Amino acid sequence: MFGIGRNGAKKHLSSMVNGIRFHLFCSKADELVVHFMVNSLGFSTKEAISTSAKVTRSRLRNYEPLLLLDLFHKIGLNKSQIKTLVSSSPKLLFCDIDTTLKPKIKGLQPLNLSGSDLVTLIEKSDFLRRGLHTSIKPTLDYLRELLGTHDAVAMVLKKEPRLISQNISKVLPPNIALLQNLGFSQIDIANFFQRYPRCLLRNPVCLQRVVHQAEEIFDIPRGSRMFLHGIAALVPLHESTLERKIDIYRSFGWSHSDICTMVRKLPSCFDFIRG
């Protein structure tokens, strides 16, 4: 008498369960789509059903999986990366590839982003929901003008992928003007933005408050090379959080002058303590 063994039995049972689950849920996740996700992208049946069910079947008219794979393979994505994208954005399976997806991907080509960088950019922004000519291209053009080169734009997008989906032509100018009024050159500001992109995405009122803190509380001179680093260190800190961190240093017996000296020399000192 032949047996299939304990491990074999588990695999057989798992296969049966997945098969039953698939037939139970096929009304919610089209069989064709689920099969493609399992056989071509490495999804489990359960993952495929769950992911496919997140998008409406009305978009099935745009379902062209082989064209999608061909496009992603051509731009250097592997099977695992494609699965990651489809997991985070299932509607990729049903987008109009020729009129929507290809032009957007083509718009990113001057940046020479690697496959993993493209995955991160698409996954961590609402790139797929943004219009090419109404949002993506104006954003890239603005960044190119501000930073000077496509390489610099690519670098800043790697740090902050969500930039691609923000209306930065309206968000950045007030903060850039604020730094210009403080005496910083266009090159200074471009370098600052490239290193700390999130800082210039803040509300101008917030940035003005941080500038006041750097100058009035910690006595960091505007002409100091550490001034912008000080702003970058203070921007993420709510006023109450900053005060708690200062209190911790005071509990060590440090005077206000001691703390200011440390901040002027090492603005990132607040990252070393929890508060």
Side-chain angles (χ1 to χ4, degrees), residues 31-121:
E31 183 175 344
L32 183 65
V33 178
V34 172
H35 278 165
F36 168 74
M37 295 171 72
V38 171
N39 297 327
S40 298
L41 298 180
F43 282 79
S44 69
T45 301
K46 181 179 180 180
E47 289 174 332
I49 291 173
S50 175
T51 302
S52 177
K54 294 175 183 178
V55 289
T56 173
R57 294 283 76 96
S58 66
R59 304 185 69 166
L60 194 58
R61 64 182 180 276
N62 292 326
Y63 181 59
E64 299 176 303
L66 296 182
L67 290 181
L68 182 71
L69 286 182
D70 182 62
L71 172 62
F72 282 148
H73 285 152
K74 284 181 178 178
I75 62 176
L77 302 190
N78 58 36
K79 179 178 176 179
S80 176
Q81 291 169 331
I82 298 172
K83 179 185 176 182
T84 296
L85 281 182
V86 172
S87 295
S88 62
S89 302
K91 64 181 180 180
L92 268 173
L93 291 171
F94 308 101
C95 68
D96 191 318
I97 294 173
D98 287 326
T99 62
T100 302
L101 189 57
K102 275 186 179 180
K104 290 182 180 180
I105 296 295
K106 186 177 180 180
L108 297 176
Q109 285 180 345
L111 304 181
N112 291 317
L113 296 172
S114 68
S116 60
D117 291 330
L118 282 171
V119 170
T120 301
L121 180 66

Side-chain angles (χ1 to χ4, degrees), residues 110-112 144 147-158 194:
L111 304 181
N112 291 317
R144 173 68 173 79
L147 299 174
T149 67
H150 288 303
D151 287 344
V153 174
M155 186 177 296
V156 80
L157 286 176
K158 291 176 187 179
Q194 192 168 341

